[in-house]
Structure formats: structure tokens, C-alpha cells
Amino acid sequence: MKAADLIGLPGQVPTRPWFDRDVQFDHYGAEPLPFGCTGASGIVQHFVELTGGEAGRSFDVLDASGGYGSACLGAGSEVIAEAMADAVRNAGYVTDEVASAERSLLLERLFAPGGLFAGRFPAADYRVSGRNSGSEGMELALRLVLESRFDRRRLRAVPGAEQRDIVLGFEGAWHGWSGGLLPLLNRRHYRVGLPTIAPEQFGFRSDHIPFGDLDAAREWFERNGDRVLAVVVEPIQGDAGILVPEQGYLRELATLAERSGALLVADEVLTFAKTGRFFAMTDDAGPIPTDITVIGKSLGMGALSTSMVIARRELGIRPTGAVATSDLRPLTCAVIRAGLEHIVAEGLLERSAMVGAHLGRLLRDRVVAEFPDLYGEARGVGLIHGIELTDHAAARLGELRTSMIRNGVYVEFMSGAGRRSRGLRYLNATMRVAPPLVATADDVESIATRLAAGSRAVREAAA
């Protein structure tokens, strides 16, 4: 089959169907996007119209989503291609039962003295496990939390931990799709009709407070500090609308957790390497201590789906309870190591901080300010930004997205935090603008220009 068989000719439907549309699950519950991708290079995706009078039209789209935020090096990275090819030929495929030279090289580079992550997670204090995805990483983090109060040999609660049965989460949080994570989400849409963890001797319940509200956190700990088992937090809330807390909030939250005896779990699946530094759990005073940190998405460099769970050494799980086929296989380690070395050598984090600050200004000045009927606010840091929709735009979200794509920019839309407690305002769906780390200043200029063009087309269509 040739690419032309799929693309077709202008004005005609493709001569062969895009078979994935027939057999792949539709996870979105809406009309599928009428576009196909025939390839990509850097942050440029090569698209084709699939339906209508322009079926067969091919055009280029700037990727401002990074494949759910995972393709930090864009498409076609020679560094990753070479690392993957070499690992397939030479690195082997042993599981974690057998020491691996490739795994050892990666973990030494990250956690040994002088390593990339050693200042935050010294090997004397932390261990690491690998998983297939961010959701699986968060499942393991939750498992570590639950087993921290459990005597695995005697099969009973650790003395003094019997009443620790609350996991604190946040309104609008998103930690993954898997069933075990449902209690951490406060959205009825995702939870109703599905099994919950029933109250029993070693069960737990979840509670949720508004993100970024220190008074709410202090009041909650005052009431529940002796029962809280863990706090699970995104340093920047992603699906809630790219909500960036004020300076000092995360550190105070960490202090409240520590004083109460609770574990602090940082969900950095989305934020890893996206904020101008590797970890978003950082403020002006430096790294914010955590007991468990989960990283993913960018960790796989757009070539693999993978995650890491970095946890204090005293935390663990009963024997064989956390064995995973995907635990830091040599191929995965080779790709991660090559990608991280490239990011460091090219100064991509530092550059992304500057490019991201420029992107934020462009989004505020050229998009939000120019289209107040469509957008209410722009928020973000580094190369992860969100533009919150107005009620008018939220009702036309599908039209807005296709207009953006036809005007040459690919973005995603987050759910927003919706209704929040304590009188905080409703948060609408939010357009996520999070290009890969390889995006340049010229690229983000073009992204902003195309976002404005797509917005203008939606406005004119409604006139």
C-alpha cells in the first residue's frame, strides 16, 4: 500500500480507507477528527483532510500538544533513533531479576552522586521502579502509600497507623484512567457506575479540597491531620486547566503533610521537563521534598510510553506484589538516557524556560486579548500553558479545535476544574498549548499566529 492510496487526490475521498477508524476503540465519544497524519518531522505534522469537498488536501500543522505532552523532542529525533537501534541490537531484554548494564548506566547517571536527579533524590534515600505509563506509575504510588501502614509479614496494620485511612486529593485533579485511581478523582462523570474501594479493615477513603488554597489546606489538616495517610498532588494541575499555584503553596503543603505524618506523592507525569526544569516541585528555595514522585510522558521522548516511580527506601510492597514486565527494560533505559543527555547537552530546559515565557506573553497579547469573546485567561510556565475558554467558546469546542487544525496548529483541550468549593469560580475547559522542548522562538511566534487565525475563523463563522 502506498501513502498516495491513503491520501487520495484533492476533491476526492481516499482510494483506500483509513482502517484504524474502523477497528480502533473510540475513546472520545464524539465525532472523530476528520484528519489523518501521514508523517512528521520536528514539531511539524503532515496532515490530510479525510472528508468533505477538500478530502485529500495535504497540509502541515505545528504540533502544540506534543502527543499528550509526551514527545518532548518532537518527531524524527536522530538521537533517539540511534539509541533505540543500538539498544535493539546490543542491550538485551532482561527483566529486573537480572542486573543490566544499560539500566545501571541510566540509574547511575540519574541518582549516583553528581547525577541529574541526585540532589533531589540521593540513592542512599530513594529507589526507583519503572512502569508502562503514567497511570501505572500512579497505581504503584498509591499501592506504596497503602502498604506503608501495613505489616506485610503479619498481615495487619502497623501499630499507630490503624486510623490512617484518608488520602487527600484536589478538586479537578487528574491522575490517570485506570480503575484503581478513580478514588483520587472528584469528578462524578468518571466515577459513577464503577466499583469503588469498599470500606473494610484496610480500606481508605478520599477527600478533595481546592488546589492552591492554603487556608483550605490548613483547615483540612486541622480537622483530619491524625487520619490522613497521604496527599497526592500535581504541582501544576493539568486537566483542571493548567493551574499554577502561588509561590510557597507547594512547600507549605509539604510541611503540613510532614507534620501530620502523611506521605506526600507528587504526580509529575505531565510536568516532568516541561516547566523549564526537570521537576515542577520546586520553588525559589529549591527542591520541595516528596516521599514519592511519579514522572512520565516526556520521559519516553515520544518514542516509548514509560514512567518512573521514585520512592523513599523505607517504602515497599509485599514480595512479587509489584513485579512488572516493563520495569526499566534495557531498551527503555537506553532511550531515556540518550534523550536526557541530549536535553542537558543542548540546554533544552533552559531554552524552553525562555521560549515558554515568550509563548506566555504571545498567548496573553495576541490570543486572549484579541478574542475576549472566546478566551478568559492564559496561564502557564515553561512550555506548558493553558487558555481558558469562555462559556461561548466552550459550547463550540469541537468547532474550535478543527478550526485550529485547519489553520495549521494542533492543540488539545483539558476538561477544566468545573465547580469548586469555598466560593471559587467555575473553571471552564482549557486549550492546552504545550509544544515540544525543541520548539524555537520562531515556532511559538507561528503557533500564536495560527491560534489567532483559527480563533478568527471561528468568530467569523458565527457572524
Side-chain angles (χ1 to χ4, degrees), residues 223-347:
R223 296 191 308 271
N224 302 285
D226 60 339
R227 294 188 60 186
V228 60
L229 178 60
V231 180
V232 181
V233 65
E234 303 162 87
I236 294 173
Q237 278 200 312
D239 202 58
I242 314 301
L243 302 184
V244 183
E246 292 185 359
Q247 184 74 206
Y249 173 77
L250 294 171
R251 187 168 295 276
E252 177 68 13
L253 188 67
T255 299
L256 290 169
E258 182 182 19
R259 287 175 180 168
S260 73
L263 298 173
L264 180 61
V265 181
D267 179 349
E268 293 234 31
V269 173
L270 177 62
T271 52
F272 176 71
K274 295 295 287 183
T275 64
R277 48 172 60 101
F278 279 125
F279 296 95
M281 286 294 288
T282 307
D283 61 14
D284 292 344
I288 297 168
T290 61
D291 298 292
I292 304 171
T293 295
V294 183
I295 59 178
K297 290 192 182 290
S298 291
L299 189 67
M301 306 296 152
L304 301 170
S305 176
T306 189
S307 65
M308 275 188 186
V309 181
I310 307 166
R312 292 196 184 276
R313 281 187 169 269
E314 59 267 28
L315 299 174
I317 287 176
R318 69 197 71 181
T320 75
V323 173
T325 304
S326 58
D327 192 349
L328 297 176
R329 287 295 187 96
L331 173 62
T332 302
C333 293
V335 169
I336 294 172
R337 183 164 66 92
L340 293 179
E341 294 286 13
H342 180 67
I343 288 171
V344 171
E346 296 297 316

Side-chain angles (χ1 to χ4, degrees), residues 62-103:
L62 294 179
D63 175 22
S65 78
Y68 290 152
S70 66
C72 64
L73 299 182
S77 167
E78 288 299 325
V79 169
I80 299 306
E82 290 175 12
M84 184 172 283
D86 182 66
V88 168
R89 295 188 186 100
N90 303 309
Y93 54 85
V94 292
T95 67
D96 57 325
E97 287 187 291
V98 179
S100 158
E102 193 60 62
R103 187 186 304 122

Side-chain angles (χ1 to χ4, degrees), residues 1 47 91 112 138 143 151 162 189 205 237 249 278 376 422 429 435 451 455:
M1 179 176 62
F47 273 26
M138 288 303 298
R143 180 75 173 270
D151 185 325
E162 295 89 349
H189 172 78
R205 69 179 179 87
Q237 278 200 312
Y249 173 77
F278 279 125
R422 295 175 62 89
L451 288 172
S455 303

